[in-house]
Amino acid sequence: MGKKVYMDNAATTQTKQEVINEMIKYFNEMYGNPSSIYDLGRTSKRAINKARTSVAKFINADEDEIYFTSGGTESDNWALKGVANANKSKGNHIITSKIEHHAILHTCEYLEKQGYEVTYLDVDENGVVNIEQLKESIKDNTILITIMFANNEIGTIQPIKEIGKIAKEKGILFHTDAVQAVGGLRIDVKDLNIDLLSMSAHKINGPKGIGALYVKKGTKLDNFMHGGAQESKKRAGTESVQNIVGFGKAVEILEENFDEHIEKITKLRDRLIKGIKDNIADIKLNGHPVNRLANNVNFSFNYIEGESLLLYLDMEGISASSGSACTSGSLDPSHVLMAIGLKHEIAHGSLRLTLSDSNTEEEVDYVVQKLVDVVNRLRVISPLKG
Ligand SMILES: *Cc1c(COP(=O)(O)O)cnc(C)c1O
């Protein structure tokens, strides 16, 4: 049997066994509807509230500020559409960045069609949003600033505290997509002046299809789902109890081992970056050299097609991701790599490797070795190399 190395943890992560063990109970004996008043229902309700406490504590929010959703995408959609709708009388201008996840960008495009005006901020060559441009973009009718905490492709961490301060001074709501950040950074929504924050469980070793939106008390936000009275009448639909329990457990595990977890992943990341830099010429590390997620490595390799790189690595048992929107069958290079100023052909030769604490040094060395082989082979036959 060939070796299998998973280095695509920004796409999704493996659900931890301890998480699954907790979840199974809520499929088996504890299957009650949390809205039911008998014991079985109350058991489910208690489990949800325990998870809510864990999630709230993790970002220094209060329990009644956490609403469970179906994931990061729903949280992003809800935050943007909900704020836009509820604050229409104040204005119709939204500020975001060019490197957001599609859950934000496509929602913004939708809102533009509904008559809202959206400013897309530029980023510098490291992927950091232009703060001066942010200040200049603020108008009397600006109702929302939405800037991601850390980027899913290049790992760049944004100056969130600075942005939160600007938003607060101007009385503008501030949302951040923290789906990638929660697994890698300590987040304190109060200290950072965040009004709304999106999370997702499957990026932190929890189950897929569950996430949360943090909404600061008093924030004007329309409902997104209409129906029953669940989640304090803010998000209707029978709660996905087992998923919520799994999300809570994933957060608890992360919280318990946070510093060791980050230290381990950072070491692996730096070993991987060094291994690639020391052994392959004509490459570029994408994203911020220092302010980047502990698990993110993103390189461009001159004269190479990212797609071919992925296929060859896959044959060696390595799961990774490219810089182009290959998964959607599109040949367009990533909007993020374009925004940091890469040329088309360079962006096309990009590779993202994202680590978890299940990866080992041995795996890192194996990936470096295979990458050196594959890059050399592809460069020999490359029509791009003059
Ligand atoms: C994965 C991801 C999302 C979407 O989350 P889902 O739970 O998969 O819907 C949103 N934003 C970022 C930055 C992500 O990485």
Side-chain angles (χ1 to χ4, degrees), residues 192-210:
L192 298 170
N193 285 314
I194 295 167
D195 298 301
L196 304 108
L197 176 144
S198 302
M199 306 171 77
S200 177
H202 77 98
K203 305 284 175 79
I204 54 165
N205 303 103
K208 294 168 183 61
I210 188 76

Side-chain angles (χ1 to χ4, degrees), residues 33-258:
N33 186 319
S35 299
S36 303
I37 57 161
Y38 41 79
D39 184 52
L40 202 59
R42 291 200 309 272
T43 301
S44 292
K45 187 84 182 172
R46 268 197 304 276
I48 291 177
N49 287 338
K50 178 171 178 282
R52 197 186 312 282
T53 304
S54 301
V55 172
K57 239 177 69 189
F58 193 59
I59 58 169
N60 195 28
D62 296 337
E63 281 144 32
D64 56 358
E65 295 175 316
I66 299 294
Y67 300 91
F68 289 112
T69 66
S70 66
T73 300
E74 184 188 323
S75 295
D76 284 347
N77 269 263
W78 183 14
L80 268 59
K81 293 172 188 171
V83 164
N85 251 321
N87 296 276
K88 235 186 233 159
S89 62
K90 274 188 71 186
N92 70 339
H93 180 230
I94 295 167
I95 300 174
T96 187
S97 83
K98 288 185 177 165
I99 63 162
E100 298 296 309
H101 189 274
H102 283 137
I104 296 291
L105 289 179
H106 290 166
T107 303
C108 283
E109 283 168 28
Y110 166 82
L111 287 170
E112 283 184 284
K113 288 194 191 115
Q114 305 298 309
Y116 291 87
E117 187 198 336
V118 182
T119 300
Y120 299 87
L121 299 176
D122 294 315
V123 295
D124 67 14
E125 71 276 11
N126 293 325
V128 180
V129 290
N130 187 326
I131 293 287
E132 285 314 305
Q133 195 188 9
L134 167 65
K135 288 182 189 159
E136 287 160 15
S137 303
I138 293 172
K139 304 191 285 188
D140 289 342
N141 63 344
T142 307
I143 51 174
L144 176 69
I145 297 171
T146 175
I147 302 287
M148 72 197 318
F149 211 116
N151 185 267
N152 47 302
E153 291 188 36
I154 56 174
T156 299
I157 299 162
Q158 300 299 336
I160 292 298
K161 186 157 187 171
E162 217 178 328
I163 299 169
K165 194 161 166 269
I166 294 167
K168 190 179 181 189
E169 278 166 12
K170 299 279 182 181
I172 299 166
L173 291 174
F174 176 37
H175 166 256
T176 186
D177 175 343
V179 171
Q180 291 292 335
V182 284
L185 297 165
R186 285 210 181 273
I187 297 176
D188 179 333
V189 289
K190 292 194 172 80
D191 178 51
L192 298 170
N193 285 314
I194 295 167
D195 298 301
L196 304 108
L197 176 144
S198 302
M199 306 171 77
S200 177
H202 77 98
K203 305 284 175 79
I204 54 165
N205 303 103
K208 294 168 183 61
I210 188 76
L213 183 65
Y214 151 77
V215 184
K216 187 179 169 181
K217 265 189 273 301
T219 303
K220 277 180 79 182
L221 180 76
D222 274 9
N223 284 7
F224 185 54
M225 298 292 253
H226 302 271
Q230 293 90 355
E231 298 294 287
S232 317
K233 302 199 178 118
K234 282 290 208 189
R235 200 284 186 181
T238 300
E239 300 88 337
S240 181
V241 183
Q242 76 287 342
N243 279 349
I244 292 172
V245 165
F247 185 11
K249 185 69 186 174
V251 166
E252 287 157 25
I253 295 171
L254 189 59
E255 170 100 70
E256 258 168 40
N257 307 303
F258 200 82

